Amino acid sequence: MSAERLAELSDLFVVAAVLLYVVAMVGFAVDLAFGRTRLDRATDRATARAADRAADGEPVEARQPVAVGAAVRDGESSATSEPASVTSEASVAAGAEAAEAGAGAVGTANGPTAPNVPARAGTVALALAWLGWAANFGALVTRGLAADRWPWGNMYEFVVAICFAAVTAFLVTQIRHNVRFLGAFVMVTAALGLGLAVKVFYTVAGPVVPALDSYWIAIHVTAAIIATGLMTMAGVSGILYLVRGDGASRLPARADLERVAHRAIVFAFPLWTFAVIAGALWADRAWGRYWGWDPKEVWAFITWVAYAAYLHAKATAGWKGRAATIVQLVAFGCLMFNLIGVNIFIDGLHSYADVD
């Protein structure tokens, strides 16, 4: 197949990925908005058992069963939220089962659901997300074959690769932990990113500038792409943490959102560190110096410092909750400026976005 046909196929794969991500986003949104949680079903089972005992003539003291469920849903201790007078069998059973369902698991607020329409929507959305991931991957492979090089030599290709990495991070995490509650938000981020790449950053497949024509592009840029994808998922979790608020919500508990973000950054930070070091080595080979205060180098280091501050605060100062999330989002803002702002608005040796 000719290079032109491969480039056209790559473009079609990108369009297919956008459409699949959008439809998957709708499915995840339906699942998040209307799906029944494990807490809901635990409360229903406990209430049903209490009703059965009442029908059999056994005394059942009906009090307030809501406080336990609300406390567990928000990731708090039920002992601190439930009034002392709540002693009914329904409330105690509901609280115990809900606590058992939610203890220590990531994504418990959107766990396995009963066989209903929202549950099926979530399952279908997950399948569509995998199909979108495959189309995104196909776009990168065919683009690389068309250009006869690694497919992240300009801003368009880099953004397409980051969207692929972000969706990969979500899907791989979903295999081990139930983080389906992030699906709608990761899908819309990936769809908007690909749309931005097509409309603003698109570049015809071709050779790269001489400084990028090196095996280091497979080392330095690949590490940066994987780290950025993980940090993007962490950024989405952080934004949801702040949006959720303290009241009742269909979003998962804040503790779960914070846990997802922290685990993603713990894995991404060493990769970003390696990317910065590899970039310095590549700079020495390409330009004869390890560090030259180029804007891209400076902001990559600023991003590293910001994420290091977040991890240091979590590990030593015991920061958690809103304060730690704000630090994480400041770091994510540095990452996004390093990705978009530096390449487009600031001239430097790394100004290879090919965007007018």
Side-chain angles (χ1 to χ4, degrees), residues 1 163 261 305 350:
M1 188 178 292
C163 292
V305 170
H350 289 79

Side-chain angles (χ1 to χ4, degrees), residues 2-14 142 146 202:
S2 66
E4 292 77 9
R5 293 294 300 274
L6 285 169
E8 292 175 359
L9 183 59
S10 176
D11 296 343
L12 290 176
F13 273 132
V14 170
T142 50
Y202 184 79

Side-chain angles (χ1 to χ4, degrees), residues 53-251:
R53 292 198 176 192
D56 292 337
E58 299 181 20
V60 177
E61 184 180 2
R63 301 270 179 98
Q64 305 172 22
V66 177
V68 176
V72 175
R73 185 187 296 273
D74 287 339
E76 304 169 357
S77 170
S78 60
T80 60
S81 302
E82 183 185 10
S85 61
V86 180
T87 58
S88 72
E89 182 175 345
S91 63
V92 172
E97 293 188 23
E100 181 181 358
V106 176
T108 55
N110 194 30
T113 55
N116 51 30
V117 172
R120 288 194 293 271
T123 302
V124 171
L126 193 58
L128 290 173
W130 277 106
L131 289 175
W133 175 89
N136 204 159
F137 179 71
L140 290 171
V141 171
T142 50
R143 177 82 175 191
L145 293 174
D148 193 26
R149 56 173 172 77
W150 287 91
W152 32 77
N154 52 57
M155 190 67 178
Y156 167 76
E157 296 169 355
F158 194 67
V159 172
V160 172
I162 287 175
C163 292
F164 172 76
V167 174
T168 301
F170 162 70
L171 292 174
V172 171
T173 304
Q174 171 66 24
I175 293 174
R176 289 197 60 185
H177 307 286
N178 187 7
V179 292
R180 209 164 66 188
F181 54 80
L182 287 178
F185 308 99
V186 174
M187 292 301 108
V188 71
T189 301
L192 289 175
L194 290 178
L196 182 69
V198 171
K199 289 296 184 181
V200 179
F201 303 139
Y202 184 79
T203 305
V204 177
V208 294
V209 296
L212 295 180
D213 189 14
S214 169
Y215 62 87
W216 279 104
I217 195 172
I219 301 172
H220 165 67
V221 183
T222 301
I225 287 171
I226 297 173
T228 302
L230 287 163
M231 290 170 175
T232 299
M233 187 176 74
V236 170
S237 300
I239 293 171
L240 292 179
Y241 182 99
L242 296 183
V243 169
R244 186 186 190 282
D246 296 321
S249 172
R250 293 298 300 180
L251 293 175

Side-chain angles (χ1 to χ4, degrees), residues 272-335:
W272 187 259
T273 303
F274 173 79
V276 171
I277 296 172
L281 295 174
W282 190 4
D284 178 63
R285 183 179 181 86
W287 301 312
R289 88 290 187 280
Y290 294 100
W291 184 266
W293 297 101
D294 182 75
K296 190 75 169 181
E297 297 169 351
V298 171
W299 276 96
F301 181 69
I302 290 174
T303 301
W304 183 89
V305 170
Y307 277 108
Y310 164 78
L311 292 174
H312 179 77
K314 290 279 290 184
T316 61
W319 282 31
K320 61 181 180 178
R322 184 180 181 87
T325 300
I326 290 175
V327 175
Q328 187 253 121
L329 289 179
V330 169
F332 183 62
C334 294
L335 178 72

